[in-house]
Amino acid sequence: MGCCGSSEQKQREWKPLEDRSCTDIPWLIIFALFCIGMACIAGFSISTGAASRLISGYDSYGNTCGQKNSKIEGVELSGRDQTDNKYVFFLDPCNIDILNRKIKSMALCVSRCPDIELKTYTDVKKFALQNGSELCSYDIPVSKYPSHGERSKKCPKLPVPPSNSLPVFHRCTPVDISCYAQFAEAFVTFVSDNSMLHRVIAGVMASKEIIMGLCVLALVLSIILMVVIRYISVVLVWILTALVVLGSIGKAWQTFFKILTSKLKSSLVNFQVILLLLLFFMRKRVALTITLFHVAGKVFTHLPLLALQPFWTFLSLMLFWVSWLGVLLFLGTAGSPVQSEEAGLVEYRISGPLQYMVWYHAVGLIWISQFILACQQMTVAGAVVTYYFTRNKSELPMTPIVSSMLCLTRYHLGTVAKGSFIITLVEIPRLILTYIHNQLKGKENACARCMLKSCICCLWCLKKCLMYLNQNAYTATAINSTSFCTSARDAFVILVENALRVATINTVGDFVLFLGKVLIVSCTAFVGVLSLNYQRDYTVWVLPLLIVCLFSWLVAHCFLSVFEIVVDVLFLCFAVDTKHNDGSPGREFYMDKALMSFIFLNSTLIDFVKLLA
């Protein structure tokens, strides 16, 4: 990746955008080796025949449809030549227990899916004679379909619905999916009758154009909000502050009056006074938050490609998740054939070394997903750092985002790999404890349940803290091209020195962003109600509206999370700038004029207070 060696200065100074060098090369090598292991697992799962079993399917005797098969020991009807029988046919297609991963319906390889309804076993016999597609078990002759003693177990359940084969995956699926709607009702416990579920599904299908339009609306509103939030944030923050002040004053007077009349304790008044004093002393930090939001909006106007970052991240995650799921499915069918004791059906189960491959694959899901998210953070940080520490904005690269991505690829992939691995170390035990808690639900005592929940909560909090520190470490790396540990240490020192500012930005800023998300969801929902108003039955339009609201919240979260990253990066740059520069000749500030005016106003007030003293 362009890394041939790196060395770190013993006495390092903050030199933004200078002395660029490779960081954390050993971790880049470790991550590359891990990805090679993931590729080997994918190749093994495909080369062992699992891909053919997944795509072509197999019957209940272990025969893969559409090809010749070898004999399975102990299974009488295995080892059949199924070259002409390319489709998987389930005798009872509505009796598949997906939750427990058990096949309750016998499956056979057939040459043709029944395209007409077969009401009797005589019809099944006629279909087999006319089309050469035998729908009963291989050990039952076609001539004995109507009279065989085991036809209720080894022949399809009557009536046999007409079915078509799925594209690519050769499974015979009923044309009428009513049975699958009934199966879905097992998940939807609040549904009391079949008609309601049918109406809900029909409502979603009838409103699909409106749903797509509203999703596009949520996308457009999110992009617009990222630009205009710098103007409305001022109003939102000061309105919120005014409401808190007025509410605190009113509550304090009310409590004080009660103390005079009924001699109540004055602890509540003390609390209100402390809150007012806290707001008074935090007012400058609130003003800094507003200024950072204003500058962040200007960043998006200068770097419009920042708005596309959620698209690339989402696309990368989706491609990885789809490929990961495909390999997992291949691994699931790469196991050894095992005949179940209950029904005598053959299933492929993972055992031995394959189990370790599955665990390795699961760790890869977490680490690589976190790696992709960390790449987004580093890319945004690099672009914003370039914007901040470039005094003459006309000298900015033509595409700072692309330049930041190239810089990440050439110098800092090892740093991103190390930071994402730390998150993975915390995420794995949290997920394991969550799984144990769900499996033991209703079985463990209250003390064990409380301990499990406490551990899960602590790990979740630790993950959030580490993610915040990682993000600032990536910013420090983008500024000074230092390794992950050095950057994390330097960023932590800066954050501790500005603890009150950090607390204000994270509370006030997060609340403003939360209001922005609510605003996008509310506007989308309002338009959705107007668009779906012609459908009076609530069972028809409620689910489409919920789908739209959920999607709009996710879209708003993705876009505003990028805005939040920009604000955090700007703050760390601002803190570094004010720590190492004072505006004197040779130590001029890098900051924007809005931040400069904030510094000038504060210094003027400080000088005025000193003069009065």
Side-chain angles (χ1 to χ4, degrees):
M1 298 297 180
C3 293
C4 56
S6 66
S7 61
E8 218 164 282
Q9 304 168 0
K10 294 182 179 179
Q11 294 181 348
R12 185 183 52 77
E13 297 179 358
W14 288 86
K15 295 181 178 180
L17 308 180
E18 297 180 12
D19 300 330
R20 189 65 60 186
S21 61
C22 303
T23 55
D24 298 295
I25 299 175
W27 279 96
L28 175 59
I29 297 174
I30 293 173
F31 182 73
L33 293 175
F34 182 86
C35 291
I36 292 174
M38 292 283 290
C40 290
I41 291 177
F44 171 81
S45 62
I46 295 174
S47 62
T48 54
S52 61
R53 280 198 293 271
L54 176 65
I55 296 174
S56 301
Y58 58 93
D59 61 18
S60 297
Y61 304 108
N63 301 299
T64 302
C65 299
Q67 67 181 42
K68 294 182 179 180
N69 297 274
S70 56
K71 185 74 175 180
I72 299 175
E73 185 178 355
V75 182
E76 182 180 354
L77 296 176
S78 63
R80 297 175 64 89
D81 184 1
Q82 303 285 17
T83 305
D84 297 329
N85 300 323
K86 299 180 180 180
Y87 304 101
V88 181
F89 174 73
F90 294 98
L91 303 188
D92 187 3
C94 297
N95 193 18
I96 304 174
D97 189 356
I98 298 178
L99 285 180
N100 296 320
R101 294 173 294 179
K102 293 181 179 179
I103 301 175
K104 292 186 176 181
S105 173
M106 179 182 290
L108 301 173
C109 294
V110 298
S111 60
R112 181 179 175 181
C113 299
D115 53 358
I116 58 173
E117 185 179 23
L118 307 176
K119 297 181 180 180
T120 64
Y121 289 113
T122 302
D123 294 338
V124 176
K125 175 184 175 182
K126 290 180 180 179
F127 179 81
L129 293 174
Q130 293 175 359
N131 301 282
S133 183
E134 301 177 5
L135 303 184
C136 290
S137 181
Y138 310 133
D139 56 350
I140 300 180
V142 176
S143 59
K144 295 191 176 179
Y145 280 4
S147 59
H148 198 277
E150 292 185 309
R151 64 181 183 275
S152 60
K153 296 180 180 179
K154 295 187 176 182
C155 287
K157 181 181 178 181
L158 297 178
V160 180
S163 58
N164 293 323
S165 63
L166 290 174
V168 182
F169 299 95
H170 303 89
R171 271 72 168 178
C172 296
T173 55
V175 176
D176 183 9
I177 61 171
S178 60
C179 65
Y180 293 121
Q182 295 170 5
F183 178 74
E185 284 183 299
F187 300 100
V188 190
T189 55
F190 64 88
V191 177
S192 58
D193 62 327
N194 296 338
S195 59
M196 179 178 292
L197 182 60
H198 290 308
R199 290 201 303 270
V200 168
I201 295 176
V204 173
M205 296 304 296
S207 309
K208 57 182 181 296
E209 292 85 3
I210 298 177
I211 293 175
M212 292 297 295
L214 292 174
C215 291
V216 173
L217 175 64
L219 185 64
V220 174
L221 289 176
S222 299
I223 296 175
I224 294 175
L225 183 62
M226 292 174 69
V227 178
V228 304
I229 195 171
R230 61 171 170 162
Y231 303 109
I232 64 175
S233 60
V234 179
V235 179
L236 291 176
V237 171
W238 288 121
I239 287 178
L240 173 64
T241 305
L243 290 176
V244 172
V245 170
L246 293 177
S248 300
I249 294 175
K251 190 65 178 179
W253 275 108
Q254 181 184 9
T255 307
F256 182 72
F257 180 75
K258 289 184 178 180
I259 292 174
L260 293 178
T261 56
S262 59
K263 298 181 180 181
L264 293 175
K265 293 182 179 181
S266 60
S267 58
L268 185 59
V269 174
N270 294 335
F271 174 77
Q272 301 295 335
V273 173
I274 291 173
L275 180 60
L276 288 173
L277 291 175
L278 184 63
L279 287 173
F280 176 77
F281 286 110
M282 296 288 284
R283 69 191 187 283
K284 291 189 292 185
R285 295 169 180 85
V286 173
L288 174 61
T289 304
I290 297 173
T291 306
L292 287 174
F293 269 70
H294 180 76
V295 177
K298 293 176 65 176
V299 170
F300 277 95
T301 58
H302 283 85
L303 312 178
L305 289 181
L306 277 175
L308 299 179
Q309 276 303 113
F311 289 107
W312 310 131
T313 304
F314 177 76
L315 182 61
S316 301
L317 286 173
M318 287 303 299
L319 290 175
F320 169 67
W321 288 342
V322 169
S323 61
W324 183 90
L325 182 60
V327 174
L328 181 65
L329 293 175
F330 290 154
L331 281 175
T333 55
S336 303
V338 178
Q339 193 172 16
S340 63
E341 298 179 357
E342 298 178 358
L345 306 180
V346 174
E347 301 175 10
Y348 285 88
R349 295 180 182 175
I350 298 175
S351 60
L354 283 177
Q355 292 180 327
Y356 298 105
M357 288 187 182
V358 173
W359 281 107
Y360 188 98
H361 197 58
V363 173
L365 172 66
I366 302 173
W367 191 2
I368 297 179
S369 297
Q370 292 296 332
F371 178 83
I372 294 173
L373 294 174
C375 285
Q376 172 183 271
Q377 295 175 350
M378 179 67 91
T379 301
V380 174
V384 177
V385 165
T386 302
Y387 172 85
Y388 187 96
F389 288 106
T390 301
R391 299 185 189 278
N392 187 358
K393 304 306 180 187
S394 62
E395 298 178 357
L396 283 171
M398 183 174 297
T399 53
I401 285 288
V402 177
S403 300
S404 178
M405 293 176 64
L406 294 176
C407 182
L408 165 64
T409 304
R410 183 176 181 183
Y411 296 111
H412 304 311
L413 283 180
T415 299
V416 173
K418 187 174 183 178
S420 57
F421 179 75
I422 293 175
I423 302 299
T424 304
L425 286 181
V426 179
E427 187 71 358
I428 290 175
R430 188 183 73 86
L431 293 176
I432 292 176
L433 290 178
T434 304
Y435 175 78
I436 294 174
H437 178 264
N438 292 333
Q439 292 297 313
L440 297 179
K441 189 171 292 183
K443 300 178 182 178
E444 78 279 14
N445 56 36
C447 182
R449 183 168 59 252
C450 180
M451 291 180 61
L452 276 175
K453 289 184 177 179
S454 299
C455 292
I456 294 171
C457 181
C458 290
L459 288 173
W460 181 85
C461 294
L462 178 60
K463 174 191 170 184
K464 291 297 182 182
C465 294
L466 288 176
M467 289 181 69
Y468 182 72
L469 182 59
N470 279 10
Q471 179 179 309
N472 287 278
Y474 299 147
T475 304
T477 298
I479 294 174
N480 224 31
S481 192
T482 50
S483 65
F484 177 82
C485 291
T486 303
S487 300
R489 182 195 63 200
D490 295 339
F492 181 76
V493 171
I494 293 290
L495 294 175
V496 171
E497 292 174 351
N498 297 269
L500 291 178
R501 287 176 172 177
V502 172
T504 306
I505 292 172
N506 285 336
T507 52
V508 178
D510 288 350
F511 183 75
V512 171
L513 294 178
F514 171 77
L515 291 181
K517 297 174 186 177
V518 172
L519 177 64
I520 292 173
V521 174
S522 301
C523 293
T524 308
F526 178 73
V527 177
V529 170
L530 295 180
S531 303
L532 299 168
N533 191 38
Y534 66 91
Q535 298 172 344
R536 298 297 181 182
D537 190 353
Y538 76 95
T539 59
V540 175
W541 61 265
V542 165
L543 184 59
L545 188 62
L546 290 177
I547 294 174
V548 168
C549 290
L550 177 62
F551 181 83
S552 60
W553 176 267
L554 292 176
V555 169
H557 175 74
C558 291
F559 279 89
L560 293 182
S561 64
V562 175
F563 190 91
E564 184 179 8
I565 294 174
V566 172
V567 172
D568 291 336
V569 173
L570 284 174
F571 171 71
L572 193 66
C573 294
F574 170 78
V576 171
D577 196 8
T578 54
K579 181 178 180 179
H580 296 277
N581 298 307
D582 56 8
S584 60
R587 299 180 63 186
E588 295 86 357
F589 289 119
Y590 288 93
M591 64 186 66
D592 185 87
K593 291 182 180 179
L595 288 171
M596 192 84 73
S597 62
F598 172 81
I599 293 292
F600 177 76
L601 178 61
N602 284 341
S603 61
T604 303
L605 290 176
I606 293 174
D607 293 341
F608 180 71
V609 171
K610 289 181 179 179
L611 181 63
L612 292 178

